[in-house]
Each structure stands twice: as structure tokens, then as C-alpha cells.
Amino acid sequence: DEQSEAVVRVAGRMAAAQKSDWFAVHVRRIDRDTADRKENRRIEKSLRLAERLGASTSRLSAKDLPTEILAYAKRNNVTQILVGRSGAGLIDRIRRRTLSGMLVRQAAGLAVTVIAPDDAPAPRPLITWPARSETARAGIIALGAVAAAVAIGLGLEQVTRLPNVSMLFLFAVLTCALHFGRWPAIGAAVLSFFAYNFFLLEPRGTFTIAEPHEFFSLLIFLVVAIVTGGLAGRLREQAASIGERAEATQTLFDLSSKLSAAPKLDDVLWVVTNQAAALVKGKSIILLGGQADLEIRCAWPPEDTLPTPDWAAARWAAKERAAAGRGTTTMPTARYQFRPLTGSSGVLGVIGVEPTEDLDVLPIATEAALQSMAEQATIAIERTQLVAEAGRAATSAESERLRAALLSSISHDLRTPLASILGSATSLRTLGGKMPASDRQDLLVTIEEEAERLSRFVGNILDMTKLEAGVLETRKDAVDLGRVARSAAERAQRLYPKRKFVIDVPLDLPPIRGDASLLEQVLLNLFDNAHKYSPSTSATRIAARPQDKVVALMVTDDGMGIPKELLGKVFDKFYRVAGTDGRTPGTGLGLSICAGLVHAMGGRIRAESPVHSQRGTRIVVELPRAEQQNQSPST
């Protein structure tokens, strides 16, 4: 009603405060659907509000609202129920049929919070009924309705003469038919026949009928009452059947919407078992695999074992591709009824259901919905399997691509220094004594440089292997960035004697939290990358500046720069920007390794280009400050 939005908002605040999942459920009676557009819009508005506040929404249809709500709560492990308190009619108050009151009485082990509107007084029952079965209560109501018709008829006779008092008894019969079904209505019709004769026909106080026409009138009344009561009762049963079909349709709709959002196989199985259990108002289980290797993959309520008859029924259903178990002619002693999940590639498994009610045959609507649910589950399971296979194929293709790139890199970039080393060593061995000292020195320098180059290539490949395997160990020490930068620049100066290294690191720069040796390796790779893509006699600038919660380290070269559309690719494995001579020097792993090492230390890395005069590249590394890690969680 109009208070629904308030209930939703209160529930949203409570769920947020408790950091728990919550559900917004709209429940309607299967025999009291509404076509009121205003009311339907209000329902949709409340459900959409609940979704925006983080709730999972559901629509339920039931004969008995509190029973269905409590069953839903049990299926979803709900521990607390919030319900709005709305006004109740006189009949509902007499029968204590307010929803909040029934939930409070029946919710064993659950907390029920009743949210009352500001302007609504608390409803109080006028009559308290002792606990009785529904059949006994229907008989009492039928007897009471007939007695009320007698009392009203006798009372009206004191005021005015009624031409046909039988209409009062017909009203009592219709009331019983609408509330309790066909057989209570027929019973009320028979009671009305005798009560009308005994109390209101002459001679009164006996079952004797004085006038023949009164006998025919009474007989016609009995026939009309029985027919009318039967029709009204049958209408009630048809409304219940329509409600069951609507409930099954709603369950299928919920299943479809939830399956479309389930990306993984476990999610799909959980949705299907939950919805199947809700459909039969009992238990559900899914077993996957072939006939001989079926295994329990999901069940609601959770279950990891099955009796021997159920295993036999499940294997038979998978083998013969037909239903088996409870309610069938095949192994009917099993607790579950199993149905095969038959896909395009064969039987994927079976789904089993166990209704809580002692039913051997499921209702027609439930049967059809269950079969449709099995087909949808099969499609969803196959979809997740195809997605998994596509993922494995993509991973395999990526591995093949990386393997090809690595082999290409080894065959070209590693062969070049090996050829130089081999050529220089051969020249020294064969012509060493005949060569001038300066030439021998040049050959030795070449061997040393190419060996160092080869060592860097192999080191990069090993570092990338460690990063890919996730076995790289990083320390979390307080590191002086200036000291690491100077040490890395000194090592790079020996490798590139013609290059200038300009260091701009403030003395009061706060320390960063990381690994000094890994950070030095990052700087060496950045210096090597700058040397490859800028003139050998140009300067490489290293600067550091404190920023909010991080320290930014910047390495800038004076090369030709990187096109903006390629800035996001330079950190990919084996990606290389063409050099000035059209060749792509290096293995394409340097910047990728830098990114992996920086991320392992909890930092970020990015490329900026151009830097000035449409030239130059700047690599920016952001690392967390040491004092930010030392602060307590409360700060």
C-alpha cells in the first residue's frame, strides 16, 4: 500500500548499517489479482527503489501469504523480516488475519519488525479463535453462516414480512463457497435446506411441510444452492489453479533474469537449485557428469549425500534420458524425482526435486514449469562451459602469441650479441698475436658490452617469468628514493659513458615504501629504454616530487616521442616502438617488467609524450609514501 516505500527505506537503512544482504518481496494472493494501474505503478516504484538501494527483488503468489513469506525466508537464510502494518477489515480482524499478526505468530526463530504508519492505530482482534484445523474451522464457519441466516430471517420477520427468506441462506452458501471451496458450500446448502424447513416453514419446529408448493420451493432451493455453491467453489479452485500457473510463470521469469546475470557455472547451479526448490516448495539438487560419474554439484538446502535409491534413480535418468524416482513408475521409492539435463552434446547431468508436501504427482503447472526450468538450466550450463572453453582457447592463443614473440626475440635480439661475441673471440684466438693492441682492446670491449647486453636480455626474460608465475618476492621497506636514483645512474653511466644523467631529487623528499633493489632495476630498465630511443649523447633527467599520499618519480628523455595512440601499449609484453632506423631494438620486455615491478610494490606507472617541442618521453612512477603505510587504520 502507500506505506511500502517507507518500509523499503527503513529496510535499506538497516541492511546498510548491518552490512547484510536483503530482499524486497511483493506477495499477492493468487485469487485476488488487481488491474488497478495506480496500484501496479506503486508496486513497481517500490521494487525499483529497493533495487537502487541494493536489494534483490522477487514477486510471489500464494494462497497463504504468511506461509509463503516464511518459506521464502527459510530458502534464502533470512534472519529478520520487516513488514508494514496496514489497516484490516472487520472480517479479517475477527479472524486475526492481518499479515503482520500472522507473521509474528508463525515466525518461529525469526525476528519480525512491524513498521506502523504514523496515522494508523494498532489493530486489535475482536474475537480470539482457538487453534483448529482448516477443515474444522470451515465446518464451524458454515454452521455459523447458516445459524446467522436463521437468526436474521427470524429477526426480519418481527419487522416485516419477507416474501422469500431463502436468499439469506443462499448468501450463506456463497460465502462458504468463496472462502472454503466447493464441499463446505454443499454442506452449507444441505444445512440450509433443513434449517429453512425447521425454523421458517410452517409448521415450525418440525421437518413436516404443510403445503406442496413449499416442498417444491424448498427442493428447488436445495438444487440451486448446491449448484450455485458448487460453481462458486469451482471458481475458487480455478482461481487457485490460475494462481499456481502464475506462480510457476513468475518463477520461470525470475530464473531467466537471474540466469542471464550468472557468469559462472557455480552461479548458474545456485540459481537453478534455489528457484527449483522455490517452485516445488521443497528441496532441489543438481548432479553433473555422465551416467557412471555423476557427482553432487549444488543442492538447496545444502546436501552432500544421497541414499542408494536416489543414486540409482539419478543414474537411470541420465542413462535413459527420462524422469525417474518419486512420482514416476521407475524407482518410485526415491526421495527425489530426477530429470535429465540433455544438451546438444548429450546428457550433462540431472536435476532432482523433493516437494515438502506428500505429493506423488506434481500439479500440471508445476510439472510444466519444472520441465522448462530444466531446459533453461541446460542452456545456461552449456553457455558457461562454452565461455570457459573460449577462455581457455583465448589463453592458449595468447600463450602461442607470446611464445612466438619470445622465439622471435631470442632468434634476433639474442643472436646479434652472440654473433658479436663469437666473432670477436674467434678473431682474438686466430689473429691475437698479429693484431695491434688497440684492435685487441676494441674486440675485448665489444665482447664485454655484448655480454652485458646478453645478460640484460636473459635477465629481463627471467624477471618476466617470475612476474608471470607470481613468485617474485618484494620487500616493504622505507626507501630513500634519492640514494636509489643516484646508484642506478652510476651503474647506467658505466654502461652508457656518452650519456648524461641529471638528477633532481629534493633532500627533504619523504621516503617511499618499497624494495630498493627492485626499484633500482626499474630505473635501470627506464634508462636503457631512454638510451635506445634517444640520441646517445643526449641527457636523461631523473626527478622526484612529493604528491598527495605518493611520491612521483619521473624519467625523461629527449627522443622522438611516442604517438598518443600508442601510450597505453608500451607497457605490453613484447611491444616495441620502431626506432629511428626502422628497427625495433630490444626484446620489448623492459617497460613491461617495469610495470610488473611497480605494481608489485603497490605503485602505478604511466607514459607521457611529447614532453617539450613535440619531442621526448616521460615515464612517471608513483609509489606510496612510507608514513602512509605506518599510520593506524583509524587515521
Side-chain angles (χ1 to χ4, degrees):
D1 57 17
E2 292 83 354
Q3 300 298 323
S4 298
E5 185 173 340
V7 175
V8 168
R9 293 188 182 278
V10 172
R13 289 195 297 268
M14 293 181 65
Q18 300 175 11
K19 296 182 180 180
S20 60
D21 296 333
W22 65 293
F23 307 86
V25 184
H26 171 249
V27 195
R28 68 174 181 84
R29 289 181 60 92
I30 57 177
D31 56 348
R32 295 185 185 178
D33 201 0
T34 178
D36 188 346
R37 293 185 178 180
K38 183 178 180 181
E39 181 176 344
N40 289 330
R41 284 196 300 268
R42 187 167 59 242
I43 294 170
E44 290 295 330
K45 180 180 178 182
S46 298
L47 291 177
R48 298 293 83 77
L49 173 63
E51 289 179 350
R52 290 197 301 270
L53 295 178
S56 299
T57 59
S58 298
R59 297 172 180 267
L60 305 176
S61 300
K63 301 176 184 177
D64 190 345
L65 300 188
T67 300
E68 180 63 25
I69 292 173
L70 294 175
Y72 180 89
K74 182 179 179 181
R75 291 195 301 269
N76 292 277
N77 292 327
V78 170
T79 58
Q80 186 172 2
I81 297 177
L82 275 72
V83 59
R85 191 186 71 203
S86 58
L90 178 62
I91 299 300
D92 287 337
R93 291 178 63 190
I94 292 175
R95 301 173 61 192
R96 296 185 65 185
R97 298 290 291 178
T98 59
L99 180 60
S100 57
M102 289 186 290
L103 284 175
V104 170
R105 290 194 302 275
Q106 299 178 25
L110 291 177
V112 179
T113 301
V114 181
I115 302 174
D118 296 335
D119 56 350
R124 297 172 180 259
L126 300 181
I127 299 177
T128 301
W129 291 91
R132 293 186 177 90
S133 66
E134 193 68 21
T135 303
R137 182 172 296 179
I140 294 174
I141 292 295
L143 184 60
V146 174
V150 172
I152 294 174
L154 293 175
L156 291 176
E157 281 191 343
Q158 304 300 321
V159 179
T160 181
R161 183 176 181 277
L162 296 177
N164 194 351
V165 187
S166 61
M167 293 297 102
L168 293 174
F169 294 95
L170 190 59
F171 177 76
V173 172
L174 291 176
T175 301
C176 293
L178 293 175
H179 283 82
F180 300 102
R182 179 170 39 177
W183 293 110
I186 293 175
V190 174
L191 285 175
S192 298
F193 174 83
F194 290 106
Y196 186 24
N197 181 15
F198 190 82
F199 291 103
L200 295 174
L201 288 181
E202 299 295 341
R204 301 190 180 190
T206 67
F207 291 104
T208 302
I209 300 176
E211 300 294 335
H213 70 275
E214 292 181 347
F215 171 76
F216 288 110
S217 298
L218 188 60
L219 187 61
I220 292 173
F221 163 78
L222 177 61
V223 174
V224 171
I226 291 176
V227 172
T228 305
L231 290 175
R234 188 174 293 119
L235 179 62
R236 178 179 180 273
E237 293 171 358
Q238 290 178 352
S241 177
I242 293 172
E244 290 176 353
R245 289 195 292 270
E247 183 178 2
T249 303
Q250 185 63 47
T251 301
L252 290 177
F253 175 78
D254 292 340
L255 176 69
S256 300
S257 60
K258 292 179 180 179
L259 283 180
S260 63
K264 299 179 181 179
L265 177 60
D266 290 341
D267 298 329
V268 169
L269 298 180
W270 171 254
V271 168
V272 173
T273 53
N274 190 273
Q275 293 295 319
L279 178 65
V280 301
K281 297 180 175 59
K283 300 179 180 180
S284 175
I285 191 170
I286 291 181
L287 296 85
L288 296 185
Q291 173 194 353
D293 56 350
L294 283 175
E295 61 175 345
I296 299 174
R297 292 297 302 272
C298 191
W300 182 254
E303 189 170 5
D304 57 1
T305 59
L306 281 176
T308 301
D310 289 271
W311 278 113
R315 293 189 178 100
W316 192 93
K319 178 182 178 181
E320 301 297 334
R321 301 188 180 187
R326 178 174 180 170
T328 68
T329 57
T330 305
M331 305 177 192
T333 57
R335 291 191 299 126
Y336 286 89
Q337 179 186 120
F338 292 96
R339 294 169 180 266
L341 301 175
T342 307
S344 57
S345 58
V347 176
L348 306 178
V350 295
I351 180 173
V353 293
E354 179 188 2
T356 53
E357 299 179 0
D358 190 15
L359 296 176
D360 290 334
V361 180
L362 294 174
I364 296 177
T366 304
E367 184 85 15
L370 186 60
Q371 183 61 34
S372 178
M373 185 176 293
E375 295 172 357
Q376 292 189 48
T378 303
I379 295 173
I381 291 172
E382 284 191 324
R383 171 176 58 83
T384 59
Q385 292 177 344
L386 290 175
V387 170
E389 291 178 2
R392 288 192 292 269
T395 302
S396 177
E398 178 67 12
S399 299
E400 288 295 330
R401 187 186 71 82
L402 294 179
R403 187 180 295 111
L406 181 59
L407 291 175
S408 175
S409 176
I410 292 175
S411 64
H412 180 273
D413 296 303
L414 299 186
R415 182 179 296 175
T416 301
L418 286 174
S420 299
I421 293 173
L422 181 61
S424 299
T426 302
S427 299
L428 286 173
R429 183 176 59 82
T430 58
L431 302 174
K434 302 177 183 181
M435 297 176 63
S438 59
D439 291 345
R440 290 198 300 272
Q441 184 64 28
D442 289 341
L443 290 175
L444 291 173
V445 170
T446 300
I447 292 175
E448 182 180 7
E449 290 178 348
E450 294 301 328
E452 289 181 350
R453 179 182 175 189
L454 181 62
S455 177
R456 289 196 302 274
F457 286 165
V458 175
N460 282 340
I461 293 174
L462 292 177
D463 288 341
M464 180 54 63
T465 302
K466 291 181 180 179
L467 288 171
E468 292 287 342
V471 297
L472 184 68
E473 297 181 358
T474 60
R475 303 176 62 182
K476 300 295 183 181
D477 300 327
V479 177
D480 183 351
L481 195 55
R483 183 180 62 80
V484 176
R486 288 188 291 271
S487 176
E490 291 173 0
R491 290 179 59 184
Q493 191 71 67
R494 294 192 296 270
L495 297 174
Y496 320 116
K498 297 180 180 180
R499 177 168 291 274
K500 298 178 181 179
F501 292 91
V502 181
I503 301 176
D504 180 15
V505 178
L507 295 177
D508 59 347
L509 186 71
I512 61 99
R513 178 68 63 179
D515 190 311
S517 60
L518 295 183
L519 181 58
E520 186 171 343
Q521 181 64 38
V522 170
L523 289 174
L524 285 174
N525 282 3
L526 294 180
F527 295 159
D528 180 69
N529 189 75
H531 179 71
K532 293 173 183 175
Y533 293 96
S534 63
S536 59
T537 57
S538 62
T540 299
R541 297 172 179 81
I542 308 101
R545 296 290 184 270
Q547 296 180 357
D548 183 24
K549 298 183 179 181
V550 298
V551 174
L553 174 65
M554 295 158 283
V555 177
T556 307
D557 63 47
D558 194 28
M560 63 180 182
I562 303 173
K564 290 184 177 180
E565 63 273 12
L566 301 180
L567 288 176
K569 298 181 179 180
V570 295
F571 298 105
D572 294 343
K573 293 186 291 293
F574 302 110
Y575 185 83
R576 296 174 288 188
V577 180
T580 54
D581 59 355
R583 193 174 67 86
T584 54
T587 59
L589 290 175
L591 290 182
S592 178
I593 291 174
C594 289
L597 295 178
V598 169
H599 292 157
M601 290 185 288
R604 295 179 297 177
I605 188 171
R606 68 178 186 274
E608 299 176 353
S609 185
V611 179
H612 55 81
S613 303
Q614 301 301 314
R615 290 181 60 83
T617 300
R618 178 183 293 122
I619 305 296
V620 182
V621 178
E622 296 178 349
L623 295 168
R625 293 189 186 187
E627 60 265 28
Q628 296 294 331
Q629 300 289 336
N630 293 332
Q631 289 179 348
S632 64
S634 61
T635 59

Coordinates of all heavy atoms in Angstrom, one line a residue, residues 481-482 485 501-506 509 523 526-527 540-547 551-556 618-622:
L481 N 64.6 7.5 -2.0 CA 64.5 7.5 -3.4 C 65.7 8.1 -4.1 O 66.2 7.7 -5.1 CB 63.2 8.2 -3.9 CG 62.8 8.0 -5.3 CD1 62.6 6.5 -5.6 CD2 61.4 8.7 -5.5
G482 N 66.2 9.2 -3.4 CA 67.4 9.9 -4.0 C 68.6 9.0 -4.0 O 69.4 8.9 -5.0
A485 N 68.2 6.4 -6.8 CA 68.3 7.1 -8.2 C 69.8 7.3 -8.5 O 70.2 7.1 -9.6 CB 67.5 8.4 -8.2
F501 N 73.3 12.1 -17.2 CA 72.2 11.8 -16.3 C 72.1 12.9 -15.3 O 73.1 13.3 -14.6 CB 72.5 10.5 -15.5 CG 72.4 9.2 -16.4 CD1 73.6 8.8 -17.0 CD2 71.2 8.6 -16.6 CE1 73.6 7.7 -17.8 CE2 71.2 7.5 -17.4 CZ 72.3 7.0 -18.1
V502 N 70.9 13.6 -15.3 CA 70.7 14.7 -14.5 C 69.7 14.3 -13.4 O 68.5 13.9 -13.7 CB 70.1 15.9 -15.3 CG1 69.9 17.1 -14.4 CG2 71.1 16.3 -16.4
I503 N 70.1 14.4 -12.1 CA 69.2 14.0 -11.0 C 68.7 15.2 -10.3 O 69.5 16.1 -9.9 CB 70.0 13.1 -10.0 CG1 70.5 11.9 -10.8 CG2 69.1 12.7 -8.9 CD1 71.4 10.9 -9.9
D504 N 67.4 15.3 -10.2 CA 66.7 16.4 -9.4 C 65.8 15.8 -8.4 O 64.6 15.7 -8.6 CB 66.0 17.3 -10.5 CG 65.2 18.4 -9.8 OD1 65.6 18.7 -8.6 OD2 64.3 19.0 -10.4
V505 N 66.4 15.5 -7.2 CA 65.6 14.9 -6.1 C 65.8 15.8 -4.9 O 67.0 15.9 -4.4 CB 66.1 13.4 -5.8 CG1 65.3 12.9 -4.7 CG2 65.9 12.6 -7.1
P506 N 64.8 16.4 -4.3 CA 64.9 17.2 -3.1 C 65.5 16.4 -2.0 O 65.2 15.2 -1.8 CB 63.5 17.7 -2.8 CG 62.8 17.5 -4.1 CD 63.4 16.3 -4.8
L509 N 62.9 15.0 0.5 CA 61.9 14.1 -0.1 C 61.5 13.0 0.9 O 62.4 12.3 1.4 CB 62.4 13.5 -1.4 CG 61.4 12.7 -2.2 CD1 60.3 13.6 -2.9 CD2 62.1 11.9 -3.3
L523 N 64.6 1.6 -12.5 CA 65.3 2.7 -13.1 C 66.3 2.3 -14.2 O 66.4 3.0 -15.2 CB 66.0 3.5 -12.0 CG 65.1 4.2 -11.0 CD1 65.9 4.8 -9.8 CD2 64.4 5.3 -11.7
L526 N 64.4 1.7 -17.3 CA 64.0 3.0 -17.9 C 65.1 3.7 -18.5 O 65.0 4.3 -19.6 CB 63.3 3.9 -16.8 CG 62.0 3.4 -16.2 CD1 61.5 4.3 -15.1 CD2 61.0 3.2 -17.2
F527 N 66.3 3.7 -17.9 CA 67.5 4.3 -18.5 C 67.8 3.6 -19.8 O 68.2 4.3 -20.8 CB 68.7 4.3 -17.5 CG 68.5 5.1 -16.3 CD1 69.2 4.8 -15.1 CD2 67.5 6.1 -16.2 CE1 69.0 5.6 -14.0 CE2 67.3 6.9 -15.1 CZ 68.1 6.6 -14.0
T540 N 69.5 12.2 -19.9 CA 68.3 11.6 -19.3 C 68.1 12.3 -17.9 O 69.0 12.3 -17.1 CB 68.5 10.1 -19.1 OG1 68.7 9.5 -20.4 CG2 67.3 9.5 -18.4
R541 N 66.9 12.8 -17.7 CA 66.6 13.5 -16.5 C 65.8 12.6 -15.5 O 64.8 12.0 -15.9 CB 65.9 14.8 -16.8 CG 66.7 15.8 -17.6 CD 65.9 16.9 -18.1 NE 66.6 17.9 -18.9 CZ 66.9 17.7 -20.2 NH1 66.4 16.6 -20.8 NH2 67.6 18.6 -20.9
I542 N 66.2 12.6 -14.2 CA 65.5 11.9 -13.2 C 65.1 12.9 -12.2 O 65.9 13.7 -11.6 CB 66.4 10.9 -12.5 CG1 67.1 10.0 -13.5 CG2 65.6 10.0 -11.5 CD1 68.5 10.3 -13.8
A543 N 63.8 13.0 -12.0 CA 63.2 14.0 -11.0 C 62.2 13.3 -10.1 O 61.6 12.3 -10.5 CB 62.5 15.2 -11.7
A544 N 62.0 13.8 -8.9 CA 61.1 13.2 -7.9 C 60.4 14.4 -7.2 O 61.0 15.4 -6.8 CB 61.8 12.3 -6.9
R545 N 59.1 14.2 -7.0 CA 58.3 15.3 -6.3 C 57.3 14.6 -5.4 O 56.6 13.6 -5.8 CB 57.6 16.2 -7.3 CG 58.5 17.0 -8.2 CD 59.2 18.1 -7.4 NE 60.0 18.9 -8.3 CZ 61.3 18.7 -8.6 NH1 61.9 17.6 -8.1 NH2 61.9 19.5 -9.4
P546 N 57.1 15.1 -4.2 CA 56.0 14.6 -3.3 C 54.6 15.0 -3.8 O 54.5 16.1 -4.2 CB 56.4 15.1 -1.9 CG 57.1 16.4 -2.2 CD 57.9 16.2 -3.5
Q547 N 53.7 14.1 -3.7 CA 52.3 14.4 -4.1 C 51.4 13.8 -3.0 O 51.9 13.3 -2.0 CB 51.9 13.8 -5.4 CG 52.7 14.4 -6.6 CD 52.3 13.8 -7.9 OE1 51.5 12.9 -8.0 NE2 52.9 14.3 -9.0
V551 N 54.8 9.5 -3.9 CA 55.9 10.3 -4.4 C 56.0 9.9 -5.9 O 56.1 8.7 -6.2 CB 57.2 9.9 -3.6 CG1 58.4 10.5 -4.3 CG2 57.1 10.3 -2.2
A552 N 56.1 10.9 -6.7 CA 56.2 10.7 -8.2 C 57.6 10.8 -8.6 O 58.3 11.7 -8.3 CB 55.3 11.8 -8.9
L553 N 58.1 9.7 -9.3 CA 59.4 9.6 -9.8 C 59.3 9.7 -11.4 O 58.5 9.0 -12.0 CB 60.1 8.3 -9.4 CG 61.4 8.0 -10.0 CD1 62.5 9.0 -9.6 CD2 61.9 6.6 -9.7
M554 N 60.0 10.7 -12.0 CA 59.9 10.9 -13.4 C 61.2 10.7 -14.1 O 62.2 11.3 -13.7 CB 59.3 12.3 -13.7 CG 57.9 12.5 -13.1 SD 57.5 14.2 -12.8 CE 58.4 14.5 -11.3
V555 N 61.2 10.0 -15.2 CA 62.4 9.7 -16.0 C 62.1 10.3 -17.4 O 61.2 9.8 -18.1 CB 62.8 8.3 -16.1 CG1 64.0 8.1 -17.0 CG2 63.1 7.7 -14.7
T556 N 62.8 11.3 -17.9 CA 62.5 12.0 -19.1 C 63.7 11.9 -20.1 O 64.9 12.0 -19.7 CB 62.2 13.5 -18.9 OG1 61.2 13.5 -17.8 CG2 61.7 14.1 -20.1
R618 N 58.3 10.9 -21.2 CA 58.4 10.9 -19.7 C 57.7 9.7 -19.1 O 56.5 9.5 -19.4 CB 57.9 12.2 -19.1 CG 58.0 12.2 -17.5 CD 57.4 13.5 -16.9 NE 58.1 14.6 -17.3 CZ 57.6 15.7 -17.9 NH1 56.4 15.7 -18.2 NH2 58.4 16.7 -18.2
I619 N 58.4 8.9 -18.4 CA 57.8 7.8 -17.7 C 57.6 8.2 -16.2 O 58.6 8.6 -15.5 CB 58.6 6.5 -17.7 CG1 58.9 6.1 -19.2 CG2 57.9 5.4 -17.0 CD1 57.7 5.8 -20.0
V620 N 56.4 8.2 -15.7 CA 56.0 8.6 -14.4 C 55.7 7.4 -13.5 O 54.8 6.6 -13.9 CB 54.8 9.6 -14.4 CG1 54.5 10.1 -13.0 CG2 55.1 10.8 -15.3
V621 N 56.4 7.2 -12.4 CA 56.2 6.1 -11.5 C 55.7 6.7 -10.2 O 56.4 7.6 -9.6 CB 57.5 5.3 -11.3 CG1 57.2 4.2 -10.2 CG2 58.0 4.7 -12.6
E622 N 54.6 6.3 -9.7 CA 54.0 6.8 -8.4 C 54.1 5.7 -7.4 O 53.5 4.6 -7.6 CB 52.6 7.3 -8.6 CG 52.4 8.5 -9.5 CD 51.0 8.9 -9.7 OE1 50.1 8.1 -9.3 OE2 50.8 10.0 -10.3

